[in-house]
Amino acid sequence: MLSYSIIGMGAIGGYYGGRLAKAGREVYFLSHSDYQYVLQNGLRVDSCDGDFYLPHINAYATQKDMPKTDVIIVGLKSVKNHDVLPELLRPIVHQNSIVILIQNGIGLEDDMQKEFPGLQIVAGLAFICSAKVGPGHVSHQCYGSINLGNYSCQQEKFEVLLQDMTDAGIQAAEVPYLEARWKKAVWNMPFNGMTVALNTSTDKLLKNPATRQLIYDQMMEVIGAANALGVNTLTSEFADKMMQMTDEMVPYSPSMKLDFDYHRPMEIEYLYSRPIAEAKKVGFEMPKLAMLEAELKFIEAQLNS
């Protein structure tokens, strides 16, 4: 049986880690801001699929006290990947550990493999509306599935991981790595940045005809970039599906909008700069999303000035 560490006990790590712990898996949580609270009160998940409460969890204030585990689920924002994340991982990985990067963007696994050449890495693409609403308290509003793209993991271990998640009530599926990353970008690149640039929510963007068309055009830019990079399974039908899915969602503020609202660094590098640069390498331009990237950089600079 695999053991798990959760790095980033927020909306994502709290939910998936909580599901695994509820199913009886050995799970260790790194909890900085609410360590004392969860140590005494545990973890509560209000979920559209059924609420649950874990009165006692294995919580740690520092990674230095955590045991080495077979699987490390990273739910941190990618702005911490270059400096903070390597220091968090080093004490808890062993020579056969798997790291699942449940993060948004393109190029994440490439950079992590350079930092840890022997590490087995999996891309985690979560399709979930979830928020941390208080210490040790996660609100799971809708969806909740996760696609796993095998970047450098032994297939046998990957299948055990997949089964663990399924047994824990998580709708998990294996998808081709590059396809998985670009599929997630089809939704992330338009909605994360547009909700920030126009200071709004997903439902309002789609109710206005002008911004609805712009969102769709941006989705098609992402699909065009993916096609140029060899992901031929992505078509306009997927954009149509994402539009319909978002129409049916509760009004939602994506993670970048929440970062903007709370004056936290935004994930511009992996969500925008890297995919735009990767597409440009093969001669494909993303003009509407490049403009959005420039606007986001301006907005962040103003917040920091």
Side-chain angles (χ1 to χ4, degrees):
M1 186 178 291
L2 298 174
S3 58
Y4 292 81
S5 292
I6 308 297
I7 306 300
M9 192 179 160
I12 302 298
Y15 175 74
Y16 290 119
R19 284 278 177 207
L20 288 162
K22 181 175 179 288
R25 295 298 182 267
E26 183 182 341
V27 184
Y28 303 92
F29 294 86
L30 179 63
S31 176
H32 286 140
S33 60
D34 50 1
Y35 166 70
Q36 289 295 338
Y37 181 90
V38 297
L39 199 64
Q40 297 172 15
N41 300 283
L43 172 66
R44 180 179 301 280
V45 178
D46 299 333
S47 173
C48 58
D49 296 325
D51 302 346
F52 62 92
Y53 173 57
L54 303 173
H56 303 290
I57 62 171
N58 299 315
Y60 293 81
T62 171
Q63 71 278 12
K64 295 175 183 176
D65 294 333
M66 295 174 71
K68 295 181 185 295
T69 51
D70 302 314
V71 182
I72 298 91
I73 297 176
V74 177
L76 294 178
K77 295 293 176 63
S78 63
V79 294
K80 298 182 177 181
N81 280 28
H82 295 301
D83 46 13
V84 177
L85 184 55
E87 295 309 310
L88 293 176
L89 289 176
R90 284 192 178 93
I92 60 175
V93 297
H94 56 63
Q95 62 180 2
N96 295 312
S97 288
I98 302 167
V99 169
I100 306 175
L101 294 176
I102 307 182
Q103 297 178 315
N104 295 324
I106 302 294
L108 298 151
E109 289 76 23
D110 295 351
D111 288 354
M112 180 58 63
Q113 199 76 81
K114 290 172 186 173
E115 186 74 34
F116 294 90
L119 201 62
Q120 298 182 60
I121 304 175
V122 172
L125 296 309
F127 290 87
I128 184 172
C129 292
S130 182
K132 186 174 182 179
V133 293
H137 191 183
V138 172
S139 173
H140 168 222
Q141 299 155 354
C142 57
Y143 300 105
S145 65
I146 184 168
N147 285 339
L148 299 176
N150 191 347
Y151 182 80
S152 60
C153 182
Q154 296 171 8
Q155 188 61 29
E156 185 178 343
K157 290 189 70 174
F158 182 85
E159 288 171 6
V160 173
L161 164 65
L162 200 63
Q163 190 61 53
D164 268 6
M165 289 196 163
T166 302
D167 291 346
I170 300 166
Q171 188 181 343
E174 180 178 4
V175 293
Y177 164 72
L178 200 59
E179 176 186 317
R181 277 286 172 213
W182 282 98
K183 266 190 171 180
K184 190 72 186 290
V186 172
W187 194 94
N188 271 331
M189 292 185 76
F191 282 108
N192 272 279
M194 287 287 285
T195 52
V196 171
L198 298 182
N199 197 21
T200 189
S201 56
T202 55
D203 59 317
K204 292 178 181 177
L205 286 171
L206 292 187
K207 284 176 182 174
N208 182 284
T211 49
R212 186 182 185 90
Q213 184 61 51
L214 180 55
I215 289 285
Y216 189 79
D217 292 345
Q218 290 170 337
M219 285 186 174
M220 291 308 298
E221 281 191 357
V222 180
I223 289 170
N227 293 164
L229 286 158
V231 183
N232 299 317
T233 51
L234 272 178
T235 68
S236 60
E237 289 181 4
F238 186 73
D240 296 337
K241 179 182 175 182
M242 291 295 101
M243 296 290 281
Q244 181 183 348
M245 181 193 79
T246 313
D247 279 329
E248 295 169 356
M249 281 168 54
V250 296
Y252 185 61
S253 292
S255 60
M256 182 174 280
K257 179 61 164 61
L258 295 176
D259 290 337
F260 167 75
D261 289 342
Y262 290 99
H263 301 280
R264 299 188 293 249
M266 295 188 289
E267 298 177 286
I268 299 172
E269 178 186 355
Y270 287 111
L271 256 71
Y272 294 92
S273 304
R274 287 291 284 273
I276 289 168
E278 290 300 311
K280 190 173 287 189
K281 287 178 184 177
V282 294
F284 188 87
E285 299 290 337
M286 305 169 76
K288 290 182 172 67
L289 287 164
M291 181 180 293
L292 182 55
E293 176 204 17
E295 292 167 350
L296 293 170
K297 286 183 175 180
F298 175 84
I299 290 167
E300 185 156 74
Q302 298 309 300
L303 290 174
N304 294 332
S305 63

